[in-house]
DNA sequence: CTAGGGTTAG
């Protein structure tokens, strides 16, 4: 088409570059720009550069943008305000805020756009404090903010959850007659919602004469995150034109509030409504819901639906798919996804490493970690949590120590409480209790409850009463209501004959009505989730389940199984240690139900909210042998794959 | 003919 323009002048070239820079194919701007620069009698001018820089920003092409910046300097356009403003935006988008700021300070006469670009850059880079600081500076320089400034500042307030300053900004807007356009109203709405003031949000929302998809989505998100699902649903129902983003806000809020079943049922409703199609956001949320539930059949159906709909896998989706497959007990399928995708960011790698960690495949996890570095992907804090977790579950103590020591000096990742917890867990599990204690004492940050919890867990495994008491007292200082710690402590007192302490503790627990988080196991059969609480009898097939359990026990006993109720340190109340109670553990009910209803050729997949109990672990091993079944049990920390009388954890857990 | 903004995701 361009070839047919008889005598293109520079204006024509610029128009074309501009058109492409805001089109779906900004890359074409580069093509035209190169032709202009090398195959035409013209030189790019002050109008040309902002457009190509915009294209570079939209494509997040850091190197290209840098090269263009070089050309700007060479052709002596570096003092052009428009070009500088474009460059600020470009560098900010690419995450190089230092360079953006560098361009910013070099501008002699900054206009409102310069300030806005820099403030927005800081907000989008997560430097909210810096953004607000710069806004103050702007005020001092007597540059009048406009509605774009206010959007950025409100966004910073929203992310900082600073309602007080947010309110001040709103009144400033009113007093100074700043134009309230739709975007600014939406930014205000979001600030109120994020800062938890739904009343303010609601009254603004009702006053807004123009609303769009962002307004509706923001309100739905606000209600849903507060758990006011009815209110959220009624906003959703009132949206004039159905759009997927509003559904997504609702689905993701359910999924992130520990209500994965509800998230899936909204998804089901969405499919029935047929007005709109799920998109990438939807799939990420519903896959996460499946991962939480261990609902593999549903997850597989969703994966199939994605393929059918022609959804391209981005890194978010890849991560969610891998997470779903690993958490549902299908490591092979997760690996297949991992190997077939073409781009892998730090989250994709980290999730795959976490998958290996969960299965106790420490070596594979570490292999993947080194391949990740060969691929030049920089590990982050999450990666290290997963790597250390892998070392811990596989007993790779030397490797764990090494990676921990390399974190800050080699990778620039400052160890956080999670990493210290992993280390204590790893050392403790391996029986290096003294080293674990020493490690805690040398921690540069205050050991959190999780650190003491990890030490306590190790004391339980290695039956160290004295150290357990020490860990317990620290844990209870931080979490006086930690039920597990209290029960354990009372058992320690009982063992050591401190009966006064025992009765005092028990009384405290009775009075404050502290309850153990109930054990709950779920199993998916034909796309339906069946939940079992310990000792419960509400399942429709309850009778069959209990007679199956009796049969299992009889068969196991004839095989020489003796229930184990003699741990020195038990985490359960005395009454629960009865054999009867052991038999009613939620994971057992789920296994019995699985034996009844899952095809013998299929593995039985179970998800438990707590750690699997030691006796149930032995029982599951025996069942896998005597009934010739594969059982995949995911507990709070890892996977147990029972097969032929053994468990993949090699009894190291 | 030029630059900057708000919602839903791991």
């Amino acid at each position: 088409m361009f070839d047919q323009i008889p005598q293109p002048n520079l204006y024509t070239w610029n128009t074309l570059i501009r058109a492409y820079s805001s089109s779906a194919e900004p890359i074409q701007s580069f093509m035209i720009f190169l032709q202009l620069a090398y195959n035409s009698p013209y030189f790019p001018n002050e109008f040309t550069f902002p457009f190509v820089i915009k294209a570079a920003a939209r494509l997040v092409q850091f190197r290209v943008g840098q090269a263009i910046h070089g050309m700007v300097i060479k052709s002596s356009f570096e003092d052009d305000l428009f070009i500088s403003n474009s460059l600020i935006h470009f560098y900010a988008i690419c995450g190089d805020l230092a360079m953006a700021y560098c361009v910013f300070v070099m501008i002699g006469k900054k206009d409102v756009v310069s300030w806005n670009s820099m403030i927005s850059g800081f907000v989008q880079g997560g430097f909210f404090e810096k953004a607000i600081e710069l806004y103050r500076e702007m005020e001092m320089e007597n540059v009048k903010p406009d509605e774009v400034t206010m959007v950025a500042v409100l966004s910073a307030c929203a992310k900082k959850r600073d309602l007080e300053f947010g309110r001040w900004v709103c009144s400033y807007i009113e007093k100074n007659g700043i134009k309230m356009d739709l975007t600014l109203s939406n930014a205000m709405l979001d600030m109120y919602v994020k800062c938890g003031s739904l009343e303010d949000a609601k009254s603004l929302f009702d006053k807004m004469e123009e609303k769009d998809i962002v307004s509706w989505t923001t309100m739905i998100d606000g209600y849903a995150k507060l758990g006011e699902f009815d209110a959220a649903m009624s906003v959703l129902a009132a949206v004039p034109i159905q759009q997927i983003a509003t559904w997504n806000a609702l689905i993701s809020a359910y999924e992130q509030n520990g209500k994965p079943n509800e998230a899936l049922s909204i998804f089901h409703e969405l499919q029935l409504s047929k007005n709109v199609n799920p998109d990438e956001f939807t799939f990420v949320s519903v896959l996460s819901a499946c991962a939480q539930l261990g609902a593999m059949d549903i997850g597989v159906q969703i994966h199939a639906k994605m393929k059918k709909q022609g959804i391209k896998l981005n890194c978010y989706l890849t991560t969610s798919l891998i997470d779903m497959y690993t958490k549902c007990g299908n490591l092979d399928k997760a690996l297949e996804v991992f190997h077939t995708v073409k781009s892998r960011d730090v989250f994709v790698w980290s999730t795959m490493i976490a998958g290996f960690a969960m299965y106790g495949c420490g070596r594979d996890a570490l292999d993947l970690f080194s391949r990740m570095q060969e691929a030049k992907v920089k590990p982050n804090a999450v990666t290290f949590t997963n790597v250390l977790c892998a070392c811990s579950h596989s007993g790779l103590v030397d490797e764990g120590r090494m990676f921990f020591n390399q974190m800050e000096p080699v990778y620039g990742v400052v160890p956080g409480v999670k990493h210290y917890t992993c280390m204590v867990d790893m050392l403790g599990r391996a029986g290096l209790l003294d080293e674990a204690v020493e490690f805690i004492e040398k921690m540069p940050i205050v050991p959190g409850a999780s650190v003491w919890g990890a030490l306590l867990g190790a004391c339980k495994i290695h039956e160290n009463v004295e150290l357990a008491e020490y860990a317990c007292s620290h844990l209870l200082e931080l979490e006086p209501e930690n039920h597990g710690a209290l029960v354990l402590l009372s058992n320690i007192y009982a063992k050591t004959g401190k009966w006064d302490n025992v009765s005092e503790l028990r009384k405290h627990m009775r009075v404050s009505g502290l309850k153990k988080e109930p054990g709950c196991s779920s199993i998916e059969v034909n796309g339906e989730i069946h939940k079992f609480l310990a000792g419960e009898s509400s399942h429709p097939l309850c009778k069959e389940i209990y007679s199956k359990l009796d049969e299992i026990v009889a068969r196991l006993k004839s095989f020489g199984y003796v229930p184990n109720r003699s741990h020195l340190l038990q985490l359960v109340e005395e009454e629960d240690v009865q054999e009867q109670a052991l038999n009613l553990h939620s994971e057992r009910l789920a296994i019995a139900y699985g034996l009844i209803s899952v095809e013998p050729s299929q593995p039985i997949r179970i998800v438990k909210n707590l750690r699997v109990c030691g006796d149930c672990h032995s029982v599951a091993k025996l069942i896998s042998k005597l009934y010739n079944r594969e059982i995949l049990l995911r507990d709070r920390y890892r996977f147990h794959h029972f097969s032929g009388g053994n468990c993949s954890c090699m009894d190291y857990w």
Side-chain angles (χ1 to χ4, degrees):
Chain A
M1 172 195 72
F2 188 66
D3 304 330
Q4 285 157 20
I5 299 174
Q7 280 184 315
N9 57 20
L10 189 52
Y11 173 84
T12 327
W13 286 96
N14 287 345
T15 308
L16 204 58
I17 295 171
R18 179 190 55 174
Y20 276 122
S21 74
S22 42
S23 76
E25 298 170 274
I27 197 158
Q28 293 297 335
S29 292
F30 297 153
M31 302 305 176
I32 312 279
F33 176 75
L34 290 174
Q35 279 189 50
L36 162 66
Y38 297 107
N39 287 323
S40 85
Y42 306 107
F43 289 106
N45 68 357
E46 72 271 30
F47 294 104
T48 319
F49 284 111
F51 302 137
V52 269
I53 295 167
K54 183 180 183 172
R58 287 198 52 204
L59 294 165
V60 202
Q61 284 290 331
F62 184 68
R63 297 275 168 218
V64 176
Q66 266 187 325
I68 296 167
H69 190 182
M71 292 175 77
V72 165
I73 295 167
K74 266 197 189 160
S75 35
S76 305
F77 280 124
E78 56 181 322
D79 293 330
D80 185 277
L81 184 60
F82 280 86
I83 296 176
S84 298
N85 289 349
S86 317
L87 282 169
I88 295 171
H89 172 65
F90 162 76
Y91 281 118
I93 283 280
C94 293
D96 191 344
L97 286 161
M99 198 56 211
Y101 193 68
C102 211
V103 175
F104 175 78
V105 292
M106 293 292 282
I107 301 175
K109 265 200 172 325
K110 304 175 185 63
D111 70 353
V112 66
V113 177
S114 322
W115 289 94
N116 289 351
S117 302
M118 198 60 237
I119 294 173
S120 310
F122 279 137
V123 174
Q124 280 156 14
F127 303 94
F128 314 125
E129 210 57 64
K130 275 249 171 296
I132 290 171
E133 236 171 69
L134 202 66
Y135 169 71
R136 303 261 192 227
E137 222 177 285
M138 177 180 177
E139 276 186 319
M140 291 199 302
E141 305 257 325
N142 283 320
V143 183
K144 228 181 126 18
D146 65 2
E147 69 276 9
V148 179
T149 325
M150 291 343 238
V151 168
V153 175
L154 281 171
S155 175
C157 297
K159 303 229 164 85
K160 270 186 67 195
R161 313 281 125 112
D162 188 343
L163 185 58
E164 200 187 332
F165 188 53
R167 286 215 168 103
W168 180 87
V169 175
C170 292
S171 67
Y172 180 96
I173 290 168
E174 206 179 328
K175 271 188 228 140
N176 290 272
I178 288 172
K179 201 176 118 226
M180 275 292 277
D181 64 7
L182 182 56
T183 307
L184 184 53
S185 303
N186 285 339
M188 255 188 202
L189 211 53
D190 181 53
M191 185 278 291
Y192 284 134
V193 161
K194 292 261 160 63
C195 296
S197 178
L198 257 272
E199 304 80 46
D200 286 308
K202 176 89 169 65
S203 75
L204 172 62
F205 182 75
D206 290 339
K207 270 193 297 198
M208 284 165 62
E209 63 249 21
E210 196 194 352
K211 290 169 190 149
D212 70 354
I213 183 65
V214 178
S215 333
W216 304 107
T217 308
T218 306
M219 282 311 283
I220 291 172
D221 182 53
Y223 283 128
K225 288 235 164 80
L226 283 181
E228 295 188 28
F229 294 108
D230 292 339
M233 292 281 238
S234 62
V235 178
L236 177 77
V239 177
I241 303 159
Q242 289 273 317
Q243 289 199 39
I244 191 60
T246 50
W247 289 83
N248 290 346
L250 196 56
I251 293 173
S252 84
Y254 272 122
E255 180 261 311
Q256 284 169 22
N257 276 296
K259 297 186 184 298
N261 272 315
E262 287 80 353
L264 290 177
S265 81
I266 303 282
F267 179 63
H268 189 65
E269 221 176 287
L270 167 71
Q271 287 175 294
L272 292 178
S273 81
K274 294 202 169 152
N275 291 322
V276 278
N277 270 330
D279 67 1
E280 285 87 347
F281 286 84
T282 328
F283 285 120
V284 167
S285 295
V286 291
L287 286 170
S288 305
C290 293
Q292 278 184 53
L293 292 164
M296 172 125 122
D297 292 349
I298 305 174
V300 168
Q301 282 168 28
I302 290 170
H303 191 182
K305 196 174 164 55
M306 284 164 54
K307 283 184 188 159
K308 201 174 145 204
Q309 226 179 278
I311 298 271
K312 285 216 187 83
L313 293 187
N314 60 26
C315 286
Y316 282 91
L317 273 169
T318 306
T319 305
S320 300
L321 267 177
I322 293 173
D323 188 52
M324 184 275 287
Y325 279 122
T326 54
K327 290 200 176 138
C328 290
N330 198 334
L331 192 58
D332 291 340
K333 196 76 189 149
L335 277 167
E336 190 188 311
V337 172
F338 180 81
H339 287 304
T340 45
V341 293
K342 55 178 191 296
S343 73
R344 302 183 190 105
D345 70 359
V346 59
F347 286 92
V348 173
W349 286 96
S350 304
T351 306
M352 199 61 241
I353 291 172
F356 278 132
M358 262 195 288
Y359 287 81
C361 307
R363 290 276 166 217
D364 295 298
L366 296 186
D367 277 352
L368 207 62
F369 181 59
S370 53
R371 286 212 281 134
M372 168 178 175
Q373 288 163 82
E374 284 161 20
K376 300 268 183 286
V377 178
K378 222 177 129 238
N380 65 15
V382 176
T383 320
F384 278 104
T385 306
N386 299 343
V387 166
L388 295 176
C389 177
C391 294
S392 173
H393 285 317
S394 306
L396 300 170
V397 178
D398 293 336
E399 290 82 350
R401 267 197 216 102
M402 182 188 80
F403 286 123
F404 180 83
N405 291 330
Q406 287 179 347
M407 278 179 70
E408 205 173 343
V410 181
Y411 300 95
V413 178
V414 181
V417 71
K418 281 191 177 156
H419 306 105
Y420 287 99
T421 306
C422 278
M423 287 302 286
V424 172
D425 185 66
M426 180 187 84
L427 296 169
R429 232 181 252 280
L432 304 167
L433 292 172
D434 293 340
E435 191 180 338
V437 172
E438 199 184 322
F439 184 84
I440 294 175
E441 282 164 355
K442 282 191 186 150
M443 274 176 62
I445 55 174
V446 182
S450 59
V451 173
W452 296 112
L455 184 64
L456 188 57
C459 295
K460 233 169 62 186
I461 298 171
H462 299 287
E463 309 195 334
N464 186 326
V465 176
E466 221 171 293
L467 197 54
E469 193 175 351
Y470 170 74
C472 256
S473 63
H474 278 287
L475 181 52
L476 288 170
E477 231 168 76
L478 297 165
E479 285 181 357
E481 312 288 81
N482 187 312
H483 182 274
L486 286 166
V487 174
L488 202 58
L489 189 60
S490 81
N491 289 340
I492 291 167
Y493 287 148
K495 295 280 179 213
T496 48
K498 297 176 182 168
W499 299 107
D500 290 350
N501 295 352
V502 173
S503 59
E504 202 179 307
L505 260 184
R506 293 276 155 140
K507 189 178 153 211
H508 166 71
M509 289 167 71
R510 256 196 318 279
V511 171
S512 52
L514 278 181
K515 289 237 168 59
K516 178 173 172 253
E517 184 182 348
C520 176
S521 297
S522 55
I523 175 169
E524 183 195 46
V525 176
N526 299 326
E528 221 178 290
I529 308 290
H530 299 256
K531 269 190 169 180
F532 295 93
L533 291 166
E536 123 182 299
S537 48
S538 62
H539 194 274
L541 288 179
C542 177
K543 255 180 75 189
E544 287 84 344
I545 292 170
Y546 280 92
S547 62
K548 191 77 188 173
L549 275 174
D550 289 339
E551 177 206 309
I552 292 170
V553 172
R555 222 163 137 178
L556 259 50
K557 277 193 173 156
S558 72
F559 210 76
Y561 156 73
V562 183
N564 176 6
R565 30 189 162 129
S566 60
H567 275 295
L568 179 58
L569 296 171
Q570 279 292 346
L571 232 173
V572 284
E573 310 256 12
E574 242 93 285
E575 309 91 83
D576 292 346
V577 191
Q578 303 296 321
E579 182 182 346
Q580 183 59 15
L582 275 176
N583 217 357
L584 296 181
H585 276 173
S586 64
E587 54 266 53
R588 266 190 223 197
L589 298 176
I591 292 176
Y593 180 64
L595 285 172
I596 298 171
S597 38
V598 177
E599 295 267 330
S601 64
Q602 294 299 310
I604 297 171
R605 300 170 193 278
I606 291 165
V607 174
K608 188 181 181 192
N609 64 337
L610 307 173
R611 289 195 64 177
V612 59
C613 116
D615 190 57
C616 289
H617 192 264
S618 326
V619 168
K621 283 200 287 189
L622 283 168
I623 291 176
S624 74
K625 185 175 175 130
L626 296 178
Y627 287 79
N628 193 25
R629 297 289 297 242
E630 304 246 322
I631 301 171
L632 279 145
L633 190 136
R634 178 180 118 203
D635 74 8
R636 181 169 264 192
Y637 294 107
R638 60 165 296 148
F639 255 100
H640 299 272
H641 183 182
F642 302 99
S643 167
N646 296 309
C647 178
S648 61
C649 75
M650 317 278 277
D651 300 327
Y652 189 81
W653 49 286

